[in-house]
């Protein structure tokens, strides 16, 4: 009976060590809180807005981003867009290109709301390019949105982000 107990104890110890090593090999995915800050538009406002209107380039908002693998993340959030409307977004980030230790570059695709000239402000497809600069706790997302004819000019966006947890 003692031999069976020792064998069972040994098996449980090995299983526990194995699950601990497995959990350490797969840490919790990083969660980031995103603060939408600003945008810069690179075409004439007269091509995209009514006479006398101008783009709002201060775009406050909040979001959350979770990165379940180094190249894959999703982000959801809210911001005041460049035409003074509320926008919601849900985006998938794929960043396969790593530049140095702290920079990843790739694309983002998903849906966005709040642009009256684009699907009447309803849910519409969205996408662009993203560069993520991430330290241990703080980072920034630089977002490039290419021009969509008669809808929006080439635009550069900025988010500041803070990592949650350890």
């Amino acid at each position: 009976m003692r031999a069976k107990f020792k064998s069972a104890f040994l098996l449980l110890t090995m299983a526990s060590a194995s699950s601990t090593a497995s959990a350490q090999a797969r840490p919790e995915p990083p969660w980031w809180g995103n603060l939408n800050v600003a945008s810069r538009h690179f075409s004439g406002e007269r091509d995209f807005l009514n006479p006398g209107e101008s783009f709002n380039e201060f775009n406050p908002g909040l979001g959350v981003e979770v990165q379940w693998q180094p190249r894959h993340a999703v982000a959801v959030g809210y911001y005041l867009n460049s035409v003074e409307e509320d926008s919601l977004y849900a985006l998938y980030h794929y960043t396969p290109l790593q530049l140095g230790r702290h920079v990843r570059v790739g694309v983002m695709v998903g849906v966005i709301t709040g642009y009256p000239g684009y699907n009447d402000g309803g849910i519409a497809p969205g996408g662009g390019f993203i560069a993520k600069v991430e330290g241990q706790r703080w980072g920034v997302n630089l977002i490039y949105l290419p021009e969509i004819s008669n809808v929006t000019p080439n635009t550069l966006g900025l988010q500041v982000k803070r990592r949650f947890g350890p």
Side-chain angles (χ1 to χ4, degrees):
M1 180 80 166
R2 260 187 204 267
K4 287 184 180 180
F5 180 78
K6 285 182 180 178
S7 296
F9 181 78
L10 182 60
L11 285 174
L12 284 173
T13 302
M14 289 172 53
S16 175
S18 171
S19 68
T20 301
S22 175
Q24 289 173 352
R26 287 178 295 188
E28 289 294 316
W31 285 75
W32 297 85
N34 294 345
L35 177 64
N36 233 58
V37 180
S39 63
R40 174 73 173 107
H41 301 82
F42 293 100
S43 296
E45 292 173 335
R46 69 179 188 278
D47 296 333
F48 298 95
L49 299 175
N50 295 322
E53 294 180 336
S54 61
F55 286 116
N56 168 35
E57 294 190 334
F58 173 62
N59 311 106
L62 295 172
V64 172
E65 177 182 329
V66 63
Q67 180 178 321
W68 71 90
Q69 289 184 0
R71 296 179 178 160
H72 303 277
V74 290
V76 295
Y78 158 85
Y79 66 98
L80 180 65
N81 70 30
S82 298
V83 291
E84 303 281 345
E85 298 286 336
D86 293 328
S87 282
L88 300 173
Y89 64 88
L91 298 164
Y92 164 72
H93 299 174
Y94 177 62
T95 53
L97 181 59
Q98 184 157 355
L99 306 173
R101 184 175 176 194
H102 300 286
V103 179
R104 296 199 71 80
V105 178
V107 295
M108 57 185 196
V109 295
V111 292
I112 193 162
T113 66
Y115 290 89
Y118 193 40
N119 200 29
D120 294 324
I123 296 174
F129 300 93
I130 187 165
K132 298 178 175 197
V133 182
E134 298 173 341
Q136 184 67 24
R137 289 271 178 226
W138 292 93
V140 296
N141 289 338
L142 297 172
I143 298 166
Y144 171 71
L145 306 173
E147 179 177 328
I148 299 173
S149 184
N150 298 320
V151 176
T152 186
N154 291 304
T155 306
L156 187 62
L158 173 67
Q159 292 180 323
V160 175
K161 57 194 206 174
R162 171 91 163 74
R163 186 175 177 167
F164 297 130

